[in-house]
Amino acid sequence: MQIGFIGLGIMGKPMAKNLLKAGYALKVYDFVTDAVDEVVQAGAQRAESNADAARGSDVIITMLPNSPHVKAAVLGEAGALEGMAPGTILVDMSSINPVASKEVCAEVEKVGGFMLDAPVSGGEPKAIDGTLAIMVGGKQEVLDKVNDILQVLGASVTLCGDIGSGNTTKLANQIIVASNIAAVGEALTLGKMLGVEPEAIYKAIRSGLAGSTVLDAKAPMMMDGDFKPGFRINLHIKDLANAIDTGYEVGSPLPLTSTVMGMMQWLKANGHEMEDHSALVRYYEYLAKTDVRR
Ligand code: NAD
């Protein structure tokens, strides 16, 4: 079984390496030649284009920033579609607009291929450990054919519905994470302004109802002023923009998402878009003229 792997960034590179370790033959492509070199050194074959990565591959995995990148890599000039044989399965693991997933799928099916959208949650550490949460959209029989591959990359693989459902689920994930991080920043700032150490608040509440994976991952980063990504503000802006676009299309209200989006735009305008999304606390610190450092 040969896998064409396209997109060797923060997430794609460790995922590709895990597939090599599991014994799969990989043909890899990215614009960034250093990333390609590193994965070739780990045992992959170098592809010269996205079409070339697809040529001879039974499965193609894409791990790219957003909808336009996936459309360019698959449908564009020298894109994967040009190299795909009928029966090939495209597994797009990027977080993109679910409408774009459906559009790409329609083109893939025209050449006799199949597609799943399979975005992930867990970030770089879980990509390295092979313990991502994978949310899948598509047909059960297509998933059955690539399930062993996805099990190498993730701790859980959940079919959420037809094509686009993986990305719809990912949007839900991103809304919940963004609102939670903002709430943590808001609460710690209020505590500080009232004279209670953020560290004491964190310790006191983490085992109660307010405790969460977000609280445990992000409150320490806020208190340390450590905003090394992780998950960058500019990627979270992309996800919230996709959520707001789709919410607008179907008439689903997103007041919390819209508010946090405004805060993230403030961070971007102030030069913080490459920082971890825990930097949302900076918004509160700026307005309250304080900080939550321990
Ligand atoms: P990244 O920017 O580090 O990597 C993306 C890679 O795609 C880059 O190396 C880029 O050169 C390559 N690329 C872009 N267009 C291309 C094209 N047309 N052909 C070939 N290669 C191309 O991004 P990332 O952090 O790895 O994220 C990838 C996806 O995973 C995003 O949708 C992101 O939202 C999602 N995600 C990221 C994290 C995280 O913590 N970083 C967590 C969960 C999900």
Side-chain angles (χ1 to χ4, degrees):
M1 154 105 57
Q2 177 179 298
I3 301 172
F5 201 108
I6 296 170
L8 303 170
I10 292 181
M11 299 295 285
K13 203 193 309 175
M15 290 163 69
K17 286 184 180 175
N18 283 336
L19 291 171
L20 287 168
K21 269 188 228 144
Y24 288 102
L26 251 62
K27 204 172 170 191
V28 297
Y29 185 72
D30 193 297
F31 297 142
V32 180
T33 42
D34 282 357
V36 177
D37 290 347
E38 195 179 321
V39 183
V40 166
Q41 209 129 49
Q45 189 188 343
R46 180 188 305 274
E48 299 304 330
S49 65
N50 289 316
D52 189 31
R55 223 161 271 131
S57 293
D58 308 286
V59 174
I60 300 161
I61 296 178
T62 42
M63 194 51 170
L64 301 163
N66 198 8
S67 318
H69 309 87
V70 173
K71 285 187 174 173
V74 177
L75 311 178
E77 201 185 325
L81 207 68
E82 285 181 23
M84 269 175 81
T88 308
I89 299 172
L90 170 66
V91 185
D92 178 31
M93 303 192 74
S94 328
S95 305
I96 70 170
N97 190 316
V99 177
S101 300
K102 290 180 192 168
E103 289 166 359
V104 175
C105 181
E107 296 304 315
V108 166
E109 286 179 350
K110 278 185 198 162
V111 300
F114 304 98
M115 178 170 164
L116 300 172
D117 60 314
V120 306
S121 176
E124 189 184 21
K126 294 198 175 200
I128 292 170
D129 293 348
T131 55
L132 292 163
I134 306 179
M135 38 214 106
V136 184
K139 299 269 180 286
Q140 179 73 59
E141 58 270 27
V142 180
L143 174 58
D144 290 344
K145 290 189 181 145
V146 296
N147 196 43
D148 288 350
I149 295 172
L150 296 183
Q151 292 294 344
V152 171
L153 304 173
S156 71
V157 178
T158 309
L159 185 64
C160 303
D162 209 343
I163 189 74
S165 306
N167 273 308
T168 297
T169 305
K170 176 69 184 181
L171 292 182
N173 184 82
Q174 295 305 80
I175 289 170
I176 293 167
V177 169
S179 307
N180 260 271
I181 296 174
V184 171
E186 191 164 300
L188 295 186
T189 304
L190 174 68
K192 182 69 184 273
M193 297 293 284
L194 289 170
V196 181
E197 276 309 307
E199 176 85 24
I201 295 173
Y202 169 56
K203 280 191 181 147
I205 68 174
R206 62 184 292 258
S207 59
L209 191 56
S212 69
T213 309
V214 162
L215 184 72
D216 280 336
K218 303 303 175 183
M221 291 179 79
M222 293 177 186
M223 293 186 295
D224 289 339
D226 167 18
F227 302 120
K228 181 176 169 290
F231 191 74
R232 294 190 308 263
I233 292 280
N234 66 350
L235 283 177
H236 216 142
I237 286 177
K238 174 261 303 183
D239 290 330
L240 297 191
N242 284 336
I244 290 165
D245 280 354
T246 50
Y248 174 73
E249 272 169 43
V250 297
S252 186
L254 296 166
L256 287 177
T257 305
S258 304
T259 298
V260 182
M261 177 63 134
M263 293 160 60
M264 288 192 179
Q265 294 294 350
W266 179 89
L267 284 158
K268 181 180 173 185
N270 284 280
H272 302 298
E273 66 175 322
M274 301 305 277
E275 293 182 353
D276 188 75
H277 48 181
S278 54
L280 271 170
V281 73
R282 287 188 188 279
Y283 177 82
Y284 293 99
E285 291 175 334
Y286 174 78
L287 290 179
K289 310 243 176 311
T290 188
D291 68 63
V292 303
R293 304 296 167 269
R294 36 185 159 202

